[in-house]
């Protein structure tokens, strides 16, 4: 099946730092999504990308749909303690009957 | 605003026991999903139901069965639980492809 690998697996950063993470796939996706999971909760959608090369922002978060359609990137600027959690990418293709595939996750921890 | 409700929240089973995880959504969504979350493996799709009356296998269906009882409810059954099925299980739902998926709070299952 399709595999979505995220890196880094985990990261510790200082409050105020910028964060970058990425997601790569063994095959092409038509839609890329980024979700965040807070401890003890289910994931919540942050950003959706629908077109190769697309760059979309949501507050301090910016995500990009890679031009090869096999990767996507998420940046968080000026991190704050509530950014702690696990960030998941997810990919989807038309014609796969509504199947939504998630990545391995990046765990973010912010030091004060 | 209930959204996606999963029951139970926690469960401990002995090897070989059976149980059904329940999921219900009140958003009139067509598609529903079951994922399992394991450390370092991200969210892996077990089964999904693109619409009422249909179910399909995901990446890791072995050892599980599902029932889309009606539009609201999608249950996951473990017929003979194994320690390898120790995991956190998430149910999700959405209207259609390329729309936001909403997750429940998860069921933490331990098989001893």
């Amino acid at each position: 099946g399709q595999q979505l690998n995220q890196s880094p697996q985990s990261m510790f950063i200082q409050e105020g730092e910028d964060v970058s993470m990425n997601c790569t796939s063994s095959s092409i996706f038509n839609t890329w999504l980024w979700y965040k999971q807070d401890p003890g909760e289910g994931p919540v959608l942050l950003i959706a990308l629908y077109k190769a090369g697309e760059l979309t922002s949501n507050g301090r978060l910016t995500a990009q749909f890679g031009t090869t359609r096999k990767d996507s990137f998420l940046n968080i600027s000026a991190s704050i303690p509530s950014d702690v959690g696990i960030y998941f990418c997810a990919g989807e293709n038309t014609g796969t009957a509504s199947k939504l595939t998630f990545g391995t996750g990046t765990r973010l921890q912010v030091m004060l | 605003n209930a959204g996606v409700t999963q029951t139970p929240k926690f469960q401990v089973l002995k090897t070989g026991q059976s149980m059904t995880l329940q999921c219900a959504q009140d958003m009139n969504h067509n598609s529903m999903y079951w994922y399992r979350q394991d450390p370092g493996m991200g969210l892996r799709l077990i089964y999904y139901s693109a619409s009422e009356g249909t179910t399909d296998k995901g990446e890791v269906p072995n050892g599980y069965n599902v029932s889309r009882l009606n539009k609201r409810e999608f249950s996951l059954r473990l017929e003979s639980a194994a320690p390898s099925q120790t995991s956190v299980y998430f149910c999700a739902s959405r209207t259609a492809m390329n729309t936001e998926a909403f997750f429940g709070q998860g069921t933490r299952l331990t098989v001893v």
Side-chain angles (χ1 to χ4, degrees):
Chain A
Q2 290 167 322
Q3 291 252 310
L4 293 183
N5 294 309
Q6 291 185 241
S7 67
Q9 246 188 354
S10 65
M11 53 199 315
F12 278 91
I13 59 165
Q14 297 276 358
E15 185 179 2
E17 283 185 352
D18 296 344
V19 174
S20 291
M21 60 187 79
N22 68 71
C23 182
T24 57
S25 169
S26 56
S27 52
I28 288 170
F29 283 109
N30 294 327
T31 300
W32 283 94
L33 307 155
W34 284 92
Y35 282 77
K36 183 193 176 202
Q37 182 182 30
D38 289 326
E41 302 288 331
V44 174
L45 182 67
L46 298 173
I47 293 179
L49 303 157
Y50 300 109
K51 203 165 138 186
E54 181 180 351
L55 190 71
T56 297
S57 292
N58 178 5
R60 293 178 296 104
L61 276 61
T62 302
Q64 182 160 25
F65 191 140
T67 52
T68 66
R69 295 201 284 152
K70 289 186 176 182
D71 54 11
S72 180
F73 309 90
L74 178 69
N75 294 311
I76 305 172
S77 62
S79 57
I80 58 177
S82 62
D83 290 334
V84 163
I86 303 176
Y87 291 80
F88 289 104
C89 62
E92 181 166 40
N93 280 323
T94 53
T96 54
S98 217
K99 186 175 171 183
L100 185 59
T101 303
F102 279 80
T104 49
T106 293
R107 183 182 295 274
L108 179 64
Q109 291 172 276
V110 180
M111 296 180 290
L112 300 175
Chain B
N1 295 334
V4 179
T5 304
Q6 291 183 234
T7 54
K9 287 192 169 39
F10 300 93
Q11 183 73 48
V12 179
L13 289 178
K14 291 184 179 175
T15 298
Q17 283 185 317
S18 62
M19 81 159 293
T20 300
L21 280 63
Q22 307 286 355
C23 176
Q25 51 92 8
D26 62 2
M27 296 173 282
N28 201 35
H29 285 167
N30 293 314
S31 304
M32 297 186 74
Y33 305 80
W34 276 105
Y35 291 90
R36 60 178 288 174
Q37 183 176 18
D38 303 292
M41 312 271 305
L43 290 162
R44 292 182 293 168
L45 183 62
I46 305 170
Y47 270 94
Y48 64 104
S49 171
S51 59
E52 187 180 355
T54 68
T55 60
D56 286 285
K57 294 178 181 179
E59 298 171 65
V60 289
N62 291 345
Y64 305 96
N65 284 303
V66 290
S67 295
R68 183 75 184 266
L69 304 167
N70 47 54
K71 194 170 186 181
R72 287 188 67 244
E73 298 171 286
F74 188 39
S75 62
L76 179 72
R77 183 157 178 85
L78 286 71
E79 289 292 349
S80 179
S84 61
Q85 294 178 305
T86 293
S87 187
V88 181
Y89 291 85
F90 285 98
C91 176
S93 73
R94 60 179 182 168
T95 301
M97 289 184 65
N98 291 333
T99 62
E100 180 174 358
F102 293 85
F103 283 79
Q105 288 199 301
T107 296
R108 188 174 291 275
L109 176 67
T110 302
V111 183
V112 297

